[in-house]
Amino acid sequence: MCLIPLVVACQSNTQKKNLPITIWVGAESVAFYQEKANEYLETVFKVQNPGLNHPAIIVKPSDAATAANTFLLDTEEGVDIFTIPSDSLSELVSGSSKIAPIFNSQLLAQIKADNYPNTLDLISLPLSGSTSSSGKEVFGVPYVYQNLVLYYNKKVITDPSSWESILSATPPSSKAFTLAGNDSFSNSFLLMASKNGNFPIRIYRDGRLEDVDLSNAEALKIIKYGQNLFTQGYDPNSMGAWASSVSEEKVLSVIGGAWHFKAASEAFGRNLGISILPTFTIDGETYHSGTFNDVKMFVQRVSSPNANYLQAIMQYFSSIAVQDESFEVCDNLPAYQGAKEKLVGSSDHINLALAQYNMIEYGLNQPFGKNKLMHEYFYNRRAHQIIIDVLMNARNLYITNEAIYNALLMVEKRWKTGE
């Protein structure tokens, strides 16, 4: 592992010099990364910098999905390095950037060498006046890959490959599936449906707010199929309480992420199955349920008093060796390319990883980290509730093609303009 030779600049402010470095990771990973921090100090920093002192490193829990908002409430104190999903990137860089770009050449070289091209896109943003040859600056250090999978009851569902087979295996006393959440990320499997590699529904595909198309003829067919699927097989009563519904076999499958693995393991027990999301067929044509591909990344706050130390730590934490250990200990799926080829066995742990890697080809990069308005309009304008209402045919308002079409136009408008 090639690590950054650290040159520590003099600091006249003794108090700032002695401030500990604070790092936020998910609660499930705190103990592991605290161990890695201690390991870094003892086996890397002291070897490379004999006689120099390093600030203490303290690893604390913070949910990645809310870390950006938590940090923005207090950008001057506390955390130095924290974890965010890619969709939070634009929030932190909009206006006066609250996080620092990655500048160290060795860390940048490691990021470029280790990661998929689509991952590099998720961690980079155009920067006005950038000197980068690509016109972009790297702001994040990827270390966890994530997307949606299907957790299912393998005692009852013997073929999870299609929604048709899942529905046919579901007894009258149960519902076929539920969602781990009702937002449009958790419920993206129809929005991101693809046929032969083509995605009929467009959501900010070219990085432009106006590039949204949810109302074309093929999209309407997909949503109408989804309405039939939801009205037959979806259990709305399990929202927020799916684990108990699964345990009682009221629900036989759950669309969720790796962060739901522990809860799914406990709820399904020995009946836990894990697979890629199912296909479905419309007029003889096969579509594959899809997902937004995403990464978790480390970012560094601007003006940290310990700025000289941070990128060396991020390089160590995101190295292939540490990512592999993080997978074994914390179930964090490695982000680097080639990790899939190392997986051997058929444990739930391995099946979860394989399902996520195999979903990459049925997904597209989550675009919402490119523009703060995309994130705001997609998640915070209640478009997701309109979609759920259409799929559930709420109050019998969405029976006709015209009613469904008009609702989808409303969603389009909210995603484009926020109105």
Side-chain angles (χ1 to χ4, degrees):
M1 184 180 351
C2 181
L3 293 168
I4 301 172
L6 186 65
V7 179
V8 181
C10 294
Q11 297 183 9
S12 57
N13 189 321
T14 303
Q15 184 178 4
K16 283 190 175 183
K17 182 178 178 181
N18 293 329
L19 283 175
I21 293 169
T22 300
I23 299 173
W24 290 349
V25 298
E28 75 287 343
S29 303
V30 170
F32 173 78
Y33 283 102
Q34 185 64 67
E35 179 183 321
K36 293 295 110 179
N38 298 340
E39 181 181 285
Y40 166 77
L41 292 176
E42 292 298 319
T43 66
V44 178
F45 181 82
K46 284 186 177 180
V47 172
Q48 293 183 352
N49 303 276
L52 288 181
N53 292 322
H54 191 289
I57 302 175
I58 301 173
V59 182
K60 295 184 177 181
S62 178
D63 174 49
T66 58
N69 290 333
T70 302
F71 169 73
L72 287 170
L73 292 174
D74 184 2
T75 60
E76 296 302 319
E77 300 294 336
V79 68
D80 298 284
I81 296 170
F82 55 104
T83 301
I84 63 167
S86 65
D87 67 285
S88 295
L89 191 58
S90 60
E91 293 180 279
L92 296 164
V93 180
S94 296
S96 177
S97 182
K98 308 300 188 297
I99 57 174
I102 304 303
F103 58 82
N104 186 280
S105 59
Q106 289 193 25
L107 176 52
L108 287 169
Q110 175 176 297
I111 291 170
K112 184 176 181 180
D114 290 353
N115 292 282
Y116 297 100
N118 69 336
T119 302
L120 299 179
D121 182 63
L122 285 167
I123 63 174
S124 306
L125 285 175
L127 190 66
S128 177
S130 170
T131 58
S132 168
S133 60
S134 66
K136 294 183 177 181
E137 289 282 356
V138 174
F139 284 90
V141 181
Y143 75 109
V144 177
Y145 212 96
Q146 56 185 15
N147 50 31
L148 296 176
V149 299
L150 186 76
Y151 298 107
Y152 68 96
N153 186 324
K154 64 184 180 183
K155 180 185 71 174
V156 181
I157 299 172
T158 57
D159 179 10
S161 63
S162 73
W163 285 116
E164 291 83 7
S165 63
I166 290 172
L167 285 173
S168 67
T170 303
S173 59
S174 302
K175 287 293 185 179
F177 78 103
T178 192
L179 307 171
N182 71 345
D183 62 275
S184 291
F185 179 89
S186 300
N187 189 22
S188 62
F189 73 104
L190 294 169
L191 300 176
M192 302 303 295
S194 62
K195 181 182 68 178
N196 299 323
N198 296 312
F199 295 79
I201 293 173
R202 298 181 66 87
I203 304 174
Y204 311 131
R205 190 79 57 80
D206 291 332
R208 296 179 295 117
L209 273 171
E210 62 271 22
D211 191 9
V212 176
D213 184 2
L214 185 57
S215 57
N216 62 71
E218 196 168 8
L220 184 63
K221 284 168 51 177
I222 291 170
I223 296 301
K224 285 186 66 178
Y225 176 90
Q227 187 180 79
N228 184 58
L229 174 65
F230 269 70
T231 53
Q232 282 191 69
Y234 174 65
D235 181 16
N237 298 319
S238 62
M239 185 61 62
W242 59 266
S244 60
S245 296
V246 164
S247 298
E248 297 166 9
E249 295 192 4
K250 294 178 180 178
V251 174
L252 299 182
S253 67
V254 180
I255 296 175
W259 52 98
H260 300 115
F261 175 59
K262 182 178 179 181
S265 298
E266 293 173 353
F268 285 101
R270 67 179 63 186
N271 295 323
L272 176 64
I274 306 171
S275 76
I276 60 174
L277 298 183
T279 64
F280 55 94
T281 301
I282 304 174
D283 298 333
E285 295 185 307
T286 299
Y287 292 81
H288 207 292
S289 301
T291 181
F292 286 114
N293 295 324
D294 195 19
V295 294
K296 289 182 182 179
M297 64 185 87
F298 290 118
V299 294
Q300 168 188 334
R301 78 175 173 105
V302 165
S303 70
S304 166
N306 287 312
N308 291 322
Y309 300 96
L310 302 183
Q311 294 190 17
I313 297 169
M314 288 191 285
Q315 183 171 347
Y316 188 73
F317 278 12
S318 64
S319 65
I320 287 176
V322 173
Q323 286 191 53
D324 285 343
E325 286 187 67
S326 181
F327 172 61
E328 292 301 325
V329 176
C330 310
D331 292 311
N332 290 324
L333 189 70
Y336 69 87
Q337 56 186 335
K340 177 183 174 181
E341 285 66 35
K342 296 181 179 180
L343 299 176
V344 178
S346 58
S347 66
D348 292 340
H349 173 74
I350 296 295
N351 289 338
L352 174 62
L354 287 171
Q356 290 187 88
Y357 283 133
N358 290 334
M359 276 304 299
I360 291 175
E361 67 175 294
Y362 302 114
L364 293 174
N365 277 0
Q366 186 172 191
F368 315 111
K370 298 298 182 185
N371 184 312
K372 185 178 180 180
L373 290 178
M374 292 178 187
H375 187 280
E376 171 69 19
Y377 294 169
F378 187 81
Y379 284 112
N380 298 327
R381 289 295 189 270
R382 295 190 60 77
H384 70 278
Q385 190 57 57
I386 298 174
I387 294 171
I388 287 287
D389 285 349
V390 170
L391 293 171
M392 292 298 297
N393 188 22
R395 303 177 298 282
N396 287 320
L397 293 176
Y398 305 100
I399 296 173
T400 66
N401 283 357
E402 182 182 10
I404 297 171
Y405 178 75
N406 288 334
L408 297 180
L409 283 179
M410 188 182 302
V411 172
E412 270 191 25
K413 185 177 181 181
R414 290 194 183 184
W415 284 349
K416 290 178 180 179
T417 68
E419 297 178 3

